[in-house]
Amino acid sequence: MSDCLFCKIAAGEIPADTVYEDDQVIVFKDIHPKAPVHLLIVPREHIPSLKEMDASHDALMAHMMRLLPGLAQEQGLDNGFRTIINTGPGGGQEIFHLHIHLLGGGRLPGFG
Ligand code: 5GP
Ligand code: ZN
């Protein structure tokens, strides 16, 4: 996807504050953090959103989920963290390349 911001970051064409990467994912700091720690876990594969997931992504999704506790710990989030996946305009998604938000380190708002 030549026109996708997160594909460009994953390819190293646009700089990001990367904290972890492997052959499947890249993890970098959100440019407009909503909490003291705000990371984005981004698959290298261009998948627009959760709606486009299929069985071929099962291992990738499990990999991303299993990375989260270690990433949180590395960021000093000993007391817990929040994960968010926004899907589609109705879910507040702005970048149409699947990503998991990892947030913590301060008082997070409740959900009402
Ligand atoms: P979404 O609303 O799609 O779930 O989240 C997109 C996130 O990407 C937002 O939190 C936004 O601050 C972040 N973001 C947008 N552009 C950039 C960028 O160029 N670099 C980084 N590191 N984050 C970005
Ligand atoms: Zn992409």
Side-chain angles (χ1 to χ4, degrees):
M1 265 295 215
S2 56
D3 207 23
C4 170
L5 175 64
F6 285 178
C7 280
K8 288 180 179 167
I9 290 176
E13 293 167 13
I14 291 177
D17 199 342
T18 302
V19 301
Y20 173 85
E21 58 184 316
D22 62 28
D23 58 332
Q24 297 181 77
V25 304
I26 182 166
V27 180
F28 50 88
K29 295 183 180 176
D30 197 292
I31 203 165
H32 295 125
K34 316 292 190 295
V37 175
H38 187 171
L39 302 181
L40 300 173
I41 293 82
V42 177
R44 292 191 182 280
E45 179 183 349
H46 181 84
I47 305 161
S49 80
L50 274 187
K51 288 167 69 178
E52 286 76 27
M53 303 247 60
D54 61 38
S56 75
H57 302 114
D58 286 356
L60 172 64
M61 286 305 283
H63 179 60
M64 290 198 292
M65 289 295 170
R66 280 172 48 74
L67 279 175
L68 294 167
L71 290 165
Q73 195 161 20
E74 280 171 22
Q75 298 293 318
L77 301 179
D78 297 327
N79 200 29
F81 57 92
R82 177 174 292 173
T83 45
I84 296 175
I85 304 176
N86 297 323
T87 302
Q93 187 176 6
E94 293 177 350
I95 307 284
F96 286 85
H97 179 132
L98 179 71
H99 51 281
I100 302 174
H101 296 258
L102 189 163
L103 299 132
R107 251 184 78 102
L108 297 171
F111 283 104

